[in-house]
Amino acid sequence: MVVLRYLVILLTYIGLGMGYLPGLRMNRATIALVGAALLMALGLLDLSAAWSAIDYKTLVFLFGMMIISANLAASGFFQLAVDYTIRYIHSPFGLLIGLTFGSGLLSALFLNDTIALILTPLVVGITQLLNLNPIPYLLALAGATNLGSVATLSGNPQNILIGSFSGISYLDFAQALTPLAFISLVIQVGWLWWLYPEVRSLRPYLKVEPPRYRIFKPLLAKSLLITTGLLVAFLLGIPTAETTLIAAGLLLVTRRIKPERTLQKVDWDLLLMFCGLFILTEGVQKLGVLESFTRFVNDPLSILGVTVLLSNLVSNVPAVLLLHHLIPHPNTQTWLLLAAASTLAGNLTLLGSVANLIVAEAVAKKGYRLTFGEHLRFGLPLTVVTLVLTYFWLF
């Protein structure tokens, strides 16, 4: 029985790292849920213990942010942002800067995976319209969504988890890591400038008409008003989960959009995956698997190394769930290190974050190919430099 329990955990985390299990039609959400169910079937956990393991505040925060992002997308907010980018930035290098800092800012405010999903087809459309090589701009988007999301608790799922576990306020988190995110974005621009000579041009390209789109002004005004109120509430220190759910509830009161349209935009797979991961982590704890790792996380440098390794083996969210139990004498600096390292590690390889995979898969449908090697050439040096910067920034 014990061997079977270990085997289930091993296969589940292998599947989570790969994103699939060979020969089976399963994604990360179903792999996590099946793994959790098998641990219950093997008697390691009962339903009560599994239910208690789920951090409902994290799920509520994630759900609320998805509803907010869905309303902003439906109102035309993101297309409007792209339109302004085209109208007021007139050179290839200007486009690179605008895209990097624009997507970085949006990823700090909203979930980075959502920003990657929405902006990838728009970036491809812009580069086709301007007859530019899309690859450096897509790398800029993928990298910036990871780097920008370092800045706030709402930037990515692992930050949301850490906020729930640590109790760090939204404002304290942002004050500590926003400068790091900004410097990292500057480094990314310089690195892409070095790697791709074609993006260095400051010569204006021919003026073109941006893609046609529709703006729903009442919905846009309502979404921006509620989102602004939400960010103010975050800065005032009001509990994030409750505030986000209230904001989402206000946005769902509407005469203009069918609820199905909004709820279809919610990433239910991600929410279900989180439920499965919480249960899996509880099972791992009960088996005592994590004790053998404690000697590897006894100082900030070792925590940084183990976080980067696990984030690229099993993805950053499972890594944070596993490691948060092991951190010796957790304090604000250590939590911030875990948040930054798990996020920045996502730029290391194409498989390092969901945002990277979203960009790669979306661009493949448009007839382009973002290869593992191409991304590694960009991501490896960027990750090393930003992680070194993180260590010295925090310690």
Side-chain angles (χ1 to χ4, degrees):
M1 187 70 77
V2 174
V3 173
L4 283 176
R5 291 171 178 173
Y6 279 105
L7 184 61
V8 166
I9 288 173
L10 178 62
L11 289 176
T12 301
Y13 278 103
I14 288 173
L16 288 168
M18 296 172 61
Y20 66 96
L21 286 173
L24 298 174
R25 290 187 175 228
M26 298 177 73
N27 60 9
R28 285 186 172 90
T30 56
I31 289 168
L33 285 174
V34 170
L38 288 175
L39 290 182
M40 286 191 282
L42 292 170
L44 184 60
L45 298 163
D46 58 20
L47 186 58
S48 176
W51 184 258
S52 299
I54 296 173
D55 188 332
Y56 66 90
K57 289 185 178 181
T58 298
L59 297 180
V60 168
F61 192 7
L62 272 170
F63 174 77
M65 292 304 299
M66 290 172 185
I67 293 292
I68 292 164
S69 296
N71 275 270
L72 286 168
S75 71
F77 171 76
F78 296 110
Q79 288 88 342
L80 186 65
V82 171
D83 184 5
Y84 273 85
T85 300
I86 294 178
R87 290 183 187 277
Y88 297 104
I89 296 177
H90 303 299
S91 70
F93 188 58
L95 180 61
L96 180 71
I97 293 174
L99 177 61
T100 297
F101 287 97
S103 55
L105 174 62
L106 290 173
S107 296
L109 299 177
F110 311 103
L111 290 174
N112 62 335
D113 296 347
T114 301
I115 302 304
L117 188 63
I118 292 169
L119 292 189
T120 298
L122 298 177
V123 170
V124 173
I126 290 172
T127 53
Q128 287 178 331
L129 205 61
L130 300 174
N131 199 28
L132 298 172
N133 175 15
I135 296 301
Y137 298 97
L138 290 166
L139 289 172
L141 173 62
T145 52
N146 289 322
L147 298 177
S149 72
V150 169
T152 67
L153 286 174
S154 58
N156 56 55
Q158 61 270 21
N159 284 4
I160 293 173
L161 277 174
I162 287 168
S164 178
F165 295 146
S166 67
I168 300 173
S169 73
Y170 193 95
L171 184 58
D172 288 343
F173 191 99
Q175 284 179 331
L177 292 185
T178 296
L180 175 65
F182 179 80
I183 296 168
S184 297
L185 290 170
V186 172
I187 292 170
Q188 175 179 287
V189 169
W191 182 230
L192 285 169
W193 182 91
W194 176 264
L195 281 179
Y196 296 93
E198 64 265 38
V199 306
R200 302 174 189 173
S201 175
L202 297 175
R203 296 179 61 183
Y205 39 61
L206 294 174
K207 287 189 177 181
V208 294
E209 284 298 316
R212 297 173 67 88
Y213 61 94
R214 293 181 65 187
I215 293 292
F216 296 93
K217 291 183 179 179
L219 179 60
L220 178 62
K222 177 184 176 184
S223 299
L224 288 176
L225 180 63
I226 291 174
T227 302
T228 302
L230 176 67
L231 295 175
V232 170
F234 286 165
L235 296 177
L236 292 175
I238 300 174
T240 53
E242 292 91 330
T243 310
T244 308
L245 186 60
I246 291 169
L250 292 174
L251 286 170
L252 288 171
V253 179
T254 177
R255 295 184 304 162
R256 298 178 179 276
I257 299 180
K258 291 181 179 180
E260 295 86 352
R261 182 178 173 186
T262 300
L263 294 176
Q264 284 171 354
K265 300 294 184 182
V266 173
D267 191 343
W268 299 106
D269 280 4
L270 184 62
L271 295 175
L272 289 173
M273 185 186 78
F274 264 76
C275 291
L277 286 173
F278 283 126
I279 298 169
L280 276 170
T281 307
E282 182 70 13
V284 170
Q285 271 191 287
K286 283 188 175 294
L287 277 177
V289 175
L290 297 178
E291 275 69 15
S292 59
F293 284 91
T294 53
R295 57 198 174 100
F296 297 111
V297 288
N298 50 16
D299 62 77
L301 195 58
S302 63
I303 291 171
L304 179 68
V306 171
T307 302
V308 172
L309 179 63
L310 277 180
S311 294
N312 278 276
L313 286 178
V314 299
S315 190
N316 39 30
V317 171
V320 167
L321 280 171
L322 288 171
L323 288 172
H324 88 276
H325 295 289
L326 303 180
I327 296 174
H329 311 297
N331 55 37
T332 298
Q333 276 184 303
T334 311
W335 285 120
L336 292 172
L337 177 66
L338 182 60
S342 61
T343 302
L344 295 173
N347 278 331
L348 183 61
T349 71
L350 188 61
L351 306 176
S353 77
V354 176
N356 296 348
L357 294 173
I358 288 170
V359 171
E361 290 177 13
V363 75
K365 295 176 183 177
K366 299 288 185 179
Y368 296 95
R369 191 166 174 232
L370 180 56
T371 65
F372 186 91
E374 185 89 17
H375 187 279
L376 188 66
R377 186 171 75 111
F378 157 76
L380 177 59
L382 178 66
T383 303
V384 171
V385 171
T386 54
L387 286 172
V388 170
L389 175 65
T390 299
Y391 181 78
F392 285 103
W393 180 264
L394 292 174
F395 291 96

